[in-house]
Amino acid sequence: MRSVELVRIEAGLHDWAAITCGCAWGPNRYSAEHIPLELIRRLEGDPQDLGTDWMENHARIQSNLMDPAVATTSLALAALAGRPAAGVRQDLLYVLGVLSGGEQRDVAEACLDVARQGVWLYYEELAAFESVGASAEAYELLSQMDEQAERLAAYHRVYRDRLPEDLR
């Protein structure tokens, strides 16, 4: 349950009540307080797969990043650092990637700056190869970081056979 503890700590560093959630379209404005609560609830349920609907239509709607995107990125990174099950890691890596690659470049860059803090977690995921999906998501996330191009190319030479065909 390290992931839950780390997410609780990280969630406490953000004023979720002051962040308008993406699900707050129209005249009714809702805070994003439910995002960390939903992630914690799912992590406490001993999941094998986390899914992404805890953040979809809240921090991101299609490819549009919403107000909670940066804080949600920090939650996903905290959960990943707790080393949950491989399916959960794959989902968290996917979340980190899509939030770091959204259409609003300024928000996406802020998300990517948060994601950069976990760079060695992504390389470890690639090297451990416990799940081809998680390894692929880690590789895709690292490929968004221009400063990692040389290192990622070196890892690619060693681990390319473990990646899906489209990433070889």
Side-chain angles (χ1 to χ4, degrees), residues 21-23 34-36 38-39 42 50-62 64-66 68-69 72-73 75-76 91-92 94-99:
C21 187
C23 66
H34 60 281
I35 294 174
E38 181 62 18
L39 177 56
R42 289 175 184 226
L50 184 65
T52 61
D53 59 335
W54 61 273
M55 91 58 214
E56 293 288 354
N57 297 317
H58 303 284
R60 178 181 89 125
I61 298 176
Q62 296 177 345
N64 295 303
L65 300 177
M66 309 312 286
T72 302
T73 301
L75 289 181
D91 291 340
L92 292 168
Y94 173 81
V95 167
L96 289 166
V98 297
L99 292 177

Side-chain angles (χ1 to χ4, degrees), residues 1-76:
M1 287 300 190
R2 288 181 305 207
S3 291
V4 173
E5 294 167 2
L6 295 175
V7 168
R8 279 195 175 113
I9 292 167
E10 189 61 31
L13 298 175
H14 302 276
D15 185 1
W16 294 92
I19 301 171
T20 301
C21 187
C23 66
W25 288 69
N28 296 326
R29 305 302 269 172
Y30 300 105
S31 77
E33 293 173 291
H34 60 281
I35 294 174
L37 296 175
E38 181 62 18
L39 177 56
I40 289 167
R41 184 187 69 75
R42 289 175 184 226
L43 289 170
E44 286 178 330
D46 192 29
Q48 292 303 306
D49 294 303
L50 184 65
T52 61
D53 59 335
W54 61 273
M55 91 58 214
E56 293 288 354
N57 297 317
H58 303 284
R60 178 181 89 125
I61 298 176
Q62 296 177 345
S63 59
N64 295 303
L65 300 177
M66 309 312 286
D67 290 346
V70 177
T72 302
T73 301
S74 70
L75 289 181

Side-chain angles (χ1 to χ4, degrees), residues 65 69-74 77 93-102 104-119 122 137-148:
L65 300 177
V70 177
T72 302
T73 301
S74 70
L77 183 56
L93 288 159
Y94 173 81
V95 167
L96 289 166
V98 297
L99 292 177
S100 297
Q104 292 70 23
R105 287 309 325 150
D106 56 335
V107 180
E109 280 298 320
C111 291
L112 188 56
D113 285 343
V114 171
R116 282 183 171 102
Q117 297 172 37
V119 69
Y122 316 139
E137 294 294 347
Y139 184 88
E140 293 277 10
L141 181 55
L142 286 163
S143 69
Q144 291 184 46
M145 302 176 192
D146 294 338
E147 72 281 3
Q148 294 298 321

